[in-house]
Amino acid sequence: MSESIASEVVSAMVGGMFSASALYPLEVLKTRMQAETKATTKSSSSNDDDDDDEDDDKEDEVLPNEQEGATITNSSTADFSSPDKELQHRNQLALARIKREYATAASEGMTSYATLMYDREGGVAPFYGGVVTSAVQSATEKALYFFAYTFLKNG
């Protein structure tokens, strides 16, 4: 392999790794916001009979439980036969509130969602989870592309 081809391949690898690393946080945001929007749309279409004038922060609202297909009601009206069931109920209510926060942030835009992720999930780490795999993949793709292009161009 000539020096020209090798230098172009290495340059392409470095450029691919850099671009993937620089754009990865935006990809994470885009993907999570799309998933949040789809989950919210799916959830709201199953709850079309709900009154839209109700306050979302009320403790007595009925919330969907996606894992069990049941509903979660206010703890003052629910019958808990054990402390574990009450704890499970409270955890489900907290999870529903967190999901609503993320859904609201997603509807407000990328900046709002990024701020919520940063505050709730511990800084910049969630934005870069998996960046190494993405950078290696991009570097490999770019290296193969430029190797083939240069090889075919030079004949």
Side-chain angles (χ1 to χ4, degrees):
M1 178 168 22
S2 74
E3 189 175 310
S4 172
I5 293 175
S7 67
E8 286 190 35
V9 168
V10 170
S11 296
M13 288 177 68
V14 171
M17 289 179 78
F18 178 75
S19 67
S21 299
L23 296 175
Y24 195 76
L26 293 175
E27 286 293 322
V28 168
L29 275 174
K30 177 191 72 133
T31 303
R32 289 194 47 181
M33 287 178 69
Q34 286 173 341
E36 192 68 51
T37 303
K38 287 180 182 178
T40 303
T41 303
K42 182 179 178 183
S43 175
S44 67
S45 67
S46 66
N47 293 329
D48 282 340
D49 297 335
D50 292 347
D51 186 9
D52 292 335
D53 295 332
E54 291 183 24
D55 187 13
D56 287 340
D57 295 330
K58 285 185 179 178
E59 286 289 324
D60 61 342
E61 67 185 14
V62 177
L63 302 170
N65 181 355
E66 296 173 2
Q67 294 175 348
E68 298 175 11
T71 57
I72 307 167
T73 58
N74 181 359
S75 57
S76 65
T77 61
D79 180 30
F80 299 116
S81 59
S82 72
D84 290 338
K85 286 187 178 182
E86 183 176 358
L87 180 60
Q88 181 182 11
H89 175 75
R90 288 180 186 206
N91 287 340
Q92 289 171 339
L93 284 173
L95 180 62
R97 282 190 196 99
I98 291 170
K99 285 182 179 183
R100 272 197 312 266
E101 283 182 32
Y102 277 97
T104 301
S107 68
E108 291 173 356
M110 193 173 262
T111 305
S112 178
Y113 197 87
T115 303
L116 182 64
M117 268 182 70
Y118 183 87
D119 292 341
R120 276 221 175 251
E121 298 178 30
V124 297
F127 295 96
Y128 286 97
V131 70
V132 173
T133 304
S134 178
V136 169
Q137 177 186 0
S138 180
T140 304
E141 289 171 355
K142 303 296 187 239
L144 290 173
Y145 171 80
F146 275 94
F147 176 74
Y149 174 78
T150 306
F151 183 75
L152 292 173
K153 180 179 80 171
N154 293 337

